[in-house]
């Protein structure tokens, strides 16, 4: 049997305990006979001679939950001089360390294929950017959720446009390209010490992905996956998903794969979607949901969706991978007014978080909660981020101070 340094083994064991995709493991400790010294292993219950220990079994804590947010714009806010503060006005020099202190443990970053094709000031996350952010997240002792937007621009249910450089590929070529791209991105992240712990193989892919370019398919139904779409459309989508999954399993075997839908407002469509994934034997680990009350409906809507997902018994944990609520004025385009229950204020935002957490804790299989665009903070910015505020973040754009809701997120754990 190979002999290990006791201290190194113990540190390795502790590291395994906090990774998300791990089961109970047994570690064997060997001690050279006739050694002149005695090594001790200390626990809270006492110290034990290493030579007397046959094995150590570590089991991850039951019901572990993941709390955090999408911080994809943090580096750009910092570059433009955004000044972050805690709720009392004390400067925050390291935003990731600050969030960790507030009980957050998981940070999400999106990745576009070629964001230079889009002029949107928030579409900037190419692979180099994501590698740098991933390294920071991992160095801070946080878990890293990678959100593949398989597009040059925002990929959401209404816009799953194929990257411009992939536009001429036939379906089989596109499958190969998707595999190669996913594999190569993950290899570079691994090599940089930024291995993701969670991977979304597509962003809000309720109706499929990689439909073609907007110029080519426009508003047609080409390659889209609706409940009444031809089975060929679904088969094409599943073939693409399998290639993305294959690359993830090969390059990041410990990472958990998330399939992400925003159809919480239409539970029957949501369960039809996951029924189809099950029937097609799609390999994934977590059901990921977006839930924005100002678009999707009040919390009873989410409650119904979670009830129906639970009744289906897919055998997968559920994470709310995107959510948020404004603190000053309504998000543009809002279709649901919840302000009578949750005023558009710091206190209203905090109460919203409290009540959402109370709802989610009714469902033991819900183990993740992530605030989208948590880091938005125009205070001190000198560039294009100082205007056009996103007003559903967790920092006050006028003062740079953390809002009450930020501190409440940890209560989901």
């Amino acid at each position: 049997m190979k002999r290990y340094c006791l201290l190194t083994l113990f540190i390795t064991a502790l590291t395994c305990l906090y990774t998300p995709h791990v089961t109970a493991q047994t570690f064997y400790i060997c001690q050279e006979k006739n050694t002149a010294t005695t090594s001790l292993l200390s626990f809270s219950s006492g110290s034990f001679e290493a030579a007397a220990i046959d094995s150590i079994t570590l089991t991850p804590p039951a019901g572990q939950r993941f709390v955090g947010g999408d911080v994809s714009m943090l580096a750009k806010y910092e570059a433009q001089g955004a000044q972050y503060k805690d709720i009392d006005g004390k400067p925050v020099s390291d935003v990731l360390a600050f969030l960790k202190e507030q009980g957050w443990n998981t940070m999400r970053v999106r990745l576009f294929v070629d964001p230079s094709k889009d002029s949107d000031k928030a579409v900037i996350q190419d692979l180099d950017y994501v590698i740098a952010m991933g390294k920071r997240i991992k160095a801070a002792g946080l878990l890293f959720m990678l959100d593949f937007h398989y597009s040059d621009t925002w990929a959401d249910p209404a816009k799953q446009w194929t990257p411009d450089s992939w536009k001429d590929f036939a379906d089989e070529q596109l499958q190969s390209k998707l595999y190669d791209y996913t594999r190569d991105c993950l290899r570079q992240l691994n090599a940089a010490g930024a291995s993701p712990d969670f991977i979304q193989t597509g962003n809000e892919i309720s109706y499929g992905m990689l439909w073609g370019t907007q110029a080519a398919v426009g508003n047609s139904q080409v390659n889209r996956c609706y409940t009444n779409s031809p089975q060929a459309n679904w088969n094409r989508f599943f073939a693409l998903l399998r290639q993305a999954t294959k690359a993830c399993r090969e390059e990041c075997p410990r990472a958990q794969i998330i399939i992400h839908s925003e159809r919480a407002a239409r539970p029957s469509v949501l369960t039809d979607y996951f029924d189809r994934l099950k029937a097609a034997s799609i390999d994934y680990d977590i059901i990921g949901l977006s839930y924005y009350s100002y678009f999707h409906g009040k919390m009873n809507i989410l409650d119904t969706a979670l009830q129906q997902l639970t009744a289906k018994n897919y055998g997968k944990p559920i994470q709310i991978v995107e959510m948020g609520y404004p603190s000053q004025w309504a998000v543009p385009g809002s279709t649901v007014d919840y302000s009578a229950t949750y005023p558009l204020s710091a206190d209203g935002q905090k109460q919203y978080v409290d009540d959402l957490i109370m709802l989610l804790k009714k469902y033991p299989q819900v183990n993740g909660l992530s605030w989208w665009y948590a880091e938005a903070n125009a205070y001190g910015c000198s560039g294009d981020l100082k205007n056009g505020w996103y007003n559903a973040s967790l920092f006050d754009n006028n003062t740079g101070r953390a809002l009450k809701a930020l501190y409440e997120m940890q209560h989901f754990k």
Side-chain angles (χ1 to χ4, degrees):
M1 181 183 291
K2 186 175 181 180
R3 289 174 169 79
Y4 296 93
C5 166
L6 175 62
L7 180 61
T8 301
L9 180 60
F10 188 55
I11 291 172
T12 302
L14 286 176
T15 300
C16 290
L17 180 64
Y18 289 100
T19 55
H21 195 62
V22 65
T23 57
Q25 299 185 35
T26 300
F27 299 87
Y28 294 96
I29 301 175
C30 297
Q31 177 116 338
E32 294 280 4
K33 292 183 177 180
N34 302 320
T35 181
T37 61
T38 300
S39 298
L40 295 178
L41 186 60
S42 295
F43 298 92
S44 58
S45 57
S47 296
F48 305 87
E49 291 187 9
I53 298 174
D54 294 321
S55 67
I56 301 172
T57 301
L58 294 177
T59 304
Q64 184 177 5
R65 293 191 175 103
F66 305 97
V67 177
D70 190 304
V71 293
S72 297
M73 290 291 288
L74 179 59
K76 183 171 180 179
Y77 273 102
E78 291 171 333
Q80 293 195 5
Q83 298 176 34
Y84 290 90
K85 302 177 184 179
D86 69 12
I87 197 167
D88 297 318
K90 180 181 177 181
V92 171
S93 59
D94 185 334
V95 174
L96 294 181
F98 170 71
L99 293 173
K100 185 179 180 183
E101 288 171 1
Q102 311 321 316
W104 293 32
N105 58 18
T106 307
M107 301 295 160
R108 179 179 186 249
V109 181
R110 58 183 170 266
L111 171 62
F112 299 104
V113 176
D114 184 3
S116 69
K117 299 289 186 180
D118 195 306
S119 60
D120 189 313
K121 63 186 178 183
V123 180
I124 58 172
Q125 293 80 17
D126 60 13
L127 184 57
D128 288 341
Y129 182 104
V130 172
I131 287 173
M133 281 297 302
K135 289 174 67 175
R136 286 181 60 184
I137 290 167
K138 301 290 282 191
L142 295 158
L143 298 173
F144 173 30
M145 182 183 295
L146 176 65
D147 178 17
F148 275 108
H149 285 241
Y150 289 120
S151 182
D152 294 333
T153 186
W154 297 109
D156 59 41
K159 302 191 298 292
Q160 293 288 336
W161 307 123
T162 301
D164 187 67
S165 59
W166 304 2
K167 65 183 179 183
D168 295 326
F169 293 146
D171 285 350
E172 289 189 3
Q173 294 174 302
L174 190 60
Q175 293 169 28
S176 295
K177 182 62 180 179
L178 181 61
Y179 168 80
D180 291 343
Y181 169 76
T182 305
R183 178 200 62 194
D184 293 346
C185 288
L186 295 176
R187 282 184 178 177
Q188 292 189 54
L189 285 161
N190 289 339
S195 299
D197 302 283
F198 301 97
I199 304 172
Q200 286 186 219
T201 48
N203 184 78
E204 294 187 336
I205 49 175
S206 305
Y207 301 127
M209 61 186 185
L210 295 164
W211 296 336
T213 63
Q214 185 173 11
V217 303
N219 294 322
S220 71
Q221 304 304 301
V222 172
N223 297 326
R224 288 165 170 78
C225 296
Y226 301 118
T227 54
N228 60 350
S229 292
Q231 186 60 40
N233 290 18
W234 287 96
N235 292 343
R236 175 183 181 275
F237 173 45
F238 296 152
L240 290 166
L241 270 183
R242 290 189 181 100
Q243 291 304 308
T245 299
K246 179 183 176 184
C248 293
R249 295 300 192 206
E250 290 174 357
E251 300 302 323
C252 296
R254 295 178 65 85
Q256 294 196 330
I257 295 174
I258 300 172
I259 300 293
H260 180 197
S261 171
E262 86 324 322
R263 293 287 83 188
R266 299 184 64 188
S268 62
V269 176
L270 183 66
T271 54
D272 176 80
Y273 179 80
F274 284 103
D275 283 347
R276 291 173 186 268
L277 294 181
K278 182 177 180 179
S281 299
I282 298 300
D283 176 23
Y284 70 102
D285 301 298
I286 295 169
I287 293 172
L289 301 179
S290 292
Y291 171 64
Y292 297 101
S293 59
Y294 46 85
F295 293 142
H296 298 137
K298 298 181 180 181
M299 288 187 199
N300 63 301
I301 299 294
L302 176 62
D303 195 12
T304 298
L306 294 174
Q307 286 176 22
Q308 294 195 17
L309 286 172
T310 300
K312 284 287 186 175
N313 193 26
Y314 294 112
K316 311 287 185 183
I318 300 169
Q319 294 193 11
I320 309 300
V321 296
E322 289 188 24
M323 53 79 66
Y325 193 78
S327 62
Q328 293 187 46
W329 58 76
V331 171
S334 294
T335 56
V336 178
D337 183 359
Y338 220 170
S339 61
T341 305
Y342 303 107
L344 302 180
S345 65
D347 286 334
Q349 188 187 53
K350 171 188 175 297
Q351 188 60 51
Y352 179 87
V353 172
D354 289 341
D355 289 353
L356 178 61
I357 289 173
M358 186 181 302
L359 167 63
L360 297 179
K361 284 191 171 182
K362 288 171 46 181
Y363 299 94
Q365 72 273 35
V366 177
N367 72 354
L369 180 62
S370 181
W371 194 288
W372 188 75
Y373 211 171
E375 77 285 18
N377 172 25
Y379 182 70
C381 280
S382 59
D384 58 359
L385 296 177
K386 67 182 178 181
N387 298 314
W389 300 346
Y390 177 65
N391 186 47
S393 72
L394 291 175
F395 291 90
D396 189 320
N397 288 282
N398 289 302
T399 66
R401 293 190 181 200
L403 295 166
K404 295 177 181 180
L406 186 153
Y407 297 86
E408 296 302 304
M409 290 284 286
Q410 64 184 304
H411 295 147
F412 176 69
K413 291 170 67 177

